[in-house]
Amino acid sequence: MIYSSEHIIITHLQPEDALQLNKLLVSNTERFIRYLPHTLAANRTLQSTQAYIDRKIEMAQNKTEFVFAIKNSRDKQIMGLVILKNLDWELKQGEYAYCIGKQYKGNGIMIEAIKATSTFAREELKLQTLQIISHKTNASSIKVAMHSGFEWKKTLVNEFTPLNEAPVNMELYELRNEK
């Protein structure tokens, strides 16, 4: 466990999370498909989710990517994910991707999770710059970035290509650990 509060627990993804993770992703496909197509594609069946978790555990051991499960403190159900990816150990930098189930949206859970994982990234992983890249129409994601202490830096032209769409510009937000 990397964080615990009255509302949420944040843990590294574990093999026993497969069924809950699969249910979360499959039941929220419409919400997640535009910006998390690879994660969804890797979790279509319970068996593929088990393989996804195995790969993500290995990636965490190799320090190439970290996937954290956000769980409800009461019933330990997975409510969402925080993914720390595109790690650059020379620059001491990483990028967040995240998702939360529709029924948990709008309660400040993701803001709390990003703040908690940012503390972990700074203190345990010694990362100095954390990034969130979001589309300007994704108001919820921008709210998470801004309320978690990230600052808008610039527009990234043609940064991301959603499935079956033309490339779109994305907004870069950063949180810097000033030493």
Side-chain angles (χ1 to χ4, degrees), residues 4-9 20 70-79 103-104 107 109:
S4 177
S5 74
E6 179 183 344
H7 306 288
I8 64 171
I9 296 168
Q20 286 185 39
I70 306 167
K71 298 181 180 182
N72 185 312
S73 290
R74 289 186 322 277
D75 61 14
K76 312 298 186 269
Q77 292 296 303
I78 294 179
M79 301 187 297
Q103 67 270 39
Y104 306 109
N107 295 315
I109 292 166

Side-chain angles (χ1 to χ4, degrees), residues 115-126:
K115 286 181 177 180
T117 55
S118 293
T119 298
F120 174 83
R122 286 191 313 269
E123 293 178 2
E124 300 297 323
L125 303 177
K126 307 301 183 204

Side-chain angles (χ1 to χ4, degrees), residues 48-171:
S48 65
T49 299
Q50 291 165 334
Y52 172 85
I53 290 173
D54 290 343
R55 283 191 310 278
K56 297 307 175 177
I57 290 170
E58 184 176 332
M59 292 174 86
Q61 291 167 343
N62 294 331
K63 296 188 177 188
T64 56
E65 184 173 292
F66 295 88
V67 180
F68 304 100
I70 306 167
K71 298 181 180 182
N72 185 312
S73 290
R74 289 186 322 277
D75 61 14
K76 312 298 186 269
Q77 292 296 303
I78 294 179
M79 301 187 297
L81 294 177
V82 175
I83 303 166
L84 184 56
K85 61 182 191 167
N86 295 334
L87 294 164
D88 185 324
W89 295 104
E90 275 187 42
L91 294 176
K92 296 184 179 180
Q93 178 176 294
E95 175 192 336
Y96 281 120
Y98 43 84
C99 61
I100 193 156
K102 185 177 183 176
Q103 67 270 39
Y104 306 109
K105 182 181 182 288
N107 295 315
I109 292 166
M110 191 55 71
I111 293 167
E112 184 179 355
I114 292 296
K115 286 181 177 180
T117 55
S118 293
T119 298
F120 174 83
R122 286 191 313 269
E123 293 178 2
E124 300 297 323
L125 303 177
K126 307 301 183 204
L127 296 177
Q128 293 178 359
T129 304
L130 298 171
Q131 299 178 322
I132 292 174
I133 298 174
S134 181
H135 192 265
K136 66 183 177 184
T137 62
N138 191 341
S140 295
S141 185
I142 290 170
K143 180 180 177 182
V144 167
M146 300 300 289
H147 284 81
S148 300
F150 288 68
E151 295 179 4
W152 180 86
K153 292 297 176 184
K154 64 182 177 179
T155 299
L156 304 172
V157 178
N158 295 333
E159 173 68 14
F160 181 72
T161 305
L163 290 177
N164 305 315
E165 294 183 41
V168 294
N169 297 345
M170 301 292 277
E171 304 303 317

